Amino acid sequence: MGGFCALSCSGSDIVMELSVTDLAVGRGGIPLLAGLSFGLARGRALVLRGPNGSGKTTLLRTVAGLQLPMAGRVEVGEDSVAYAAHADGLKAALSVAENLRFWAAVFGQSGIDAALRAFDLEPLAERRAGQLSAGQKRRLGLARLVVTGRPLWVLDEPTVSLDAASVAQFGAAVRAHLGHGGAALIATHIDLGLEADVLDVTPYRAAADAMAATDEAFL
Amino acid sequence: MRALFLRDLVLALRAGGGFGLGLAFFLIVVVLVPFSVGPSSELLGRIAPGVLWLGALLACLLSLDRLLAVDWEDGALDLLATSPLPLEGVIAVKAAAHWVTTGLPLVLAAPVLGVLLNLAPQGYGVLVLSLALGTPALSMIGAFGAALTVGIKRGGLLMSLLVLPLYVPTLIFGAEAARRAAEGQDPATPLLFLAGITAGVLACMPFAAGAVLRVNLR
């Protein structure tokens, strides 16, 4: 993960939550995106767009620190990222409230009521996560973001299997998060009703042989 | 960390197969031995320490392949990796929970199963002590194996192949201590070796496992 950058990164007086400089990312040693540079200020959201397989997920995993960049830098505050991917990390044998309480404890937070309310999960709080529908599970997965208390949400296709009302709920939750000085980096294909900047990653596609062979798999 | 430990215990209890499965496997292995080697009580008493140790080791191995695989499949491992918990700590805690749900019941059940194998009366105390000293190392080494094979489909068999050779020192000294005690000799030396191996494993393996897990998650 990059260096600490809670204050201004580029000399401007906007507080940057995330700053990416000349980043190249790849999956399994194959470069996918190259030459990416963008910043994300507090209170702002950035929506990533691009066709399937264009490297959005890889970019998000790199920003979250789950994999190393092939080149360039990701500067993000230490312990500031809350990552949500396709899988929600829910335990079927635990109830909705227990799942949330676990993640709250892991992130050193307490209180899950706000998260339950934000995603309308209160009636389901005592239900086992294994008995939820796909959309309800997704809402629980997104409610986890609220209990992490982290400023930068990195979301990979957050609206999969959500109905229209839940998408609106999710949009409201993201707006509330931005309103509290948070930031969000979201890969999605649908309109969330956010005032967000849009970054299309298609022009940054890396040529397959643009990079020298790496030994990333062995590091 | 405490939350993760408690969650793993609750999951083992609720999902079933946590406390019970390894124990039942241990019981069946031990019960099968007299069928395979014959009912001679003198022979059974002689092989009892080794059989009990081997049974405990295999029962421990049984539940290890799900230790990290479950969390990897439902995405929780990625989320834990981005959480404030260090991966080394995650592995150590999960190994500790595995020991409480698998190793500890084996330790407690071993004297009862010793009766089935006609274990000499003076051997029981040291058998329990040797298992109590040795099984934490089995869980921790197994967690390392699980970290190595996480993400591999059907990785359970590969994990067994990787982990079983690493179990050899623990098995040698553990079974030796129990055998010596059963024969009325002094078991102190193998017990000390066993404790040393366990201490070394507990000190080093979380870091090795954390490192390979980090590579595997990339």
Side-chain angles (χ1 to χ4, degrees), chain B residues 60-161:
Chain B
C60 199
L61 194 67
L62 199 63
S63 51
L64 274 173
D65 66 323
R66 303 307 291 160
L67 185 70
L68 292 169
V70 177
D71 279 325
W72 188 79
E73 280 160 15
D74 65 17
L77 210 51
D78 276 346
L79 303 180
L80 282 171
T82 54
S83 79
L85 301 183
L87 274 181
E88 290 80 5
V90 169
I91 298 263
V93 165
K94 289 190 84 71
H98 177 264
W99 181 74
V100 171
T101 53
T102 311
L104 192 59
L106 296 181
V107 173
L108 299 178
V112 182
L113 298 181
V115 176
L116 288 178
L117 291 178
N118 194 32
L119 183 67
Q122 64 270 31
Y124 285 92
V126 175
L127 173 73
V128 171
L129 183 61
S130 69
L131 280 171
L133 283 175
T135 43
L138 300 185
S139 287
M140 194 62 243
I141 294 172
F144 170 69
L148 267 176
T149 54
V150 75
I152 300 176
K153 289 219 165 60
R154 312 283 306 158
L157 185 62
L158 179 62
M159 195 206 67
S160 305
L161 291 178

Side-chain angles (χ1 to χ4, degrees), chain A residues 27 61 64 66-68 79 81 83 87-91 93-95 98 102-103 105-107 128 144 150 216-217 219, chain B residues 1 3-5 7 10-11 14-15 70-85 214-215 217-218:
Chain A
R27 188 94 188 119
R61 286 179 67 87
L66 285 168
Q67 60 180 71
L68 297 176
D79 281 349
V81 174
Y83 174 69
D88 293 312
L90 303 175
K91 293 296 166 196
L94 298 182
S95 74
E98 283 170 327
F102 165 69
W103 287 111
V106 164
F107 283 88
R128 295 258 171 116
R144 187 187 61 84
R150 291 209 159 165
E216 186 214 26
L219 286 176
Chain B
M1 296 260 199
L4 181 62
F5 182 69
R7 182 195 73 155
V10 170
L11 284 178
R14 287 208 191 146
V70 177
D71 279 325
W72 188 79
E73 280 160 15
D74 65 17
L77 210 51
D78 276 346
L79 303 180
L80 282 171
T82 54
S83 79
L85 301 183
R214 219 164 260 132
V215 172
L217 284 180
R218 259 175 216 164

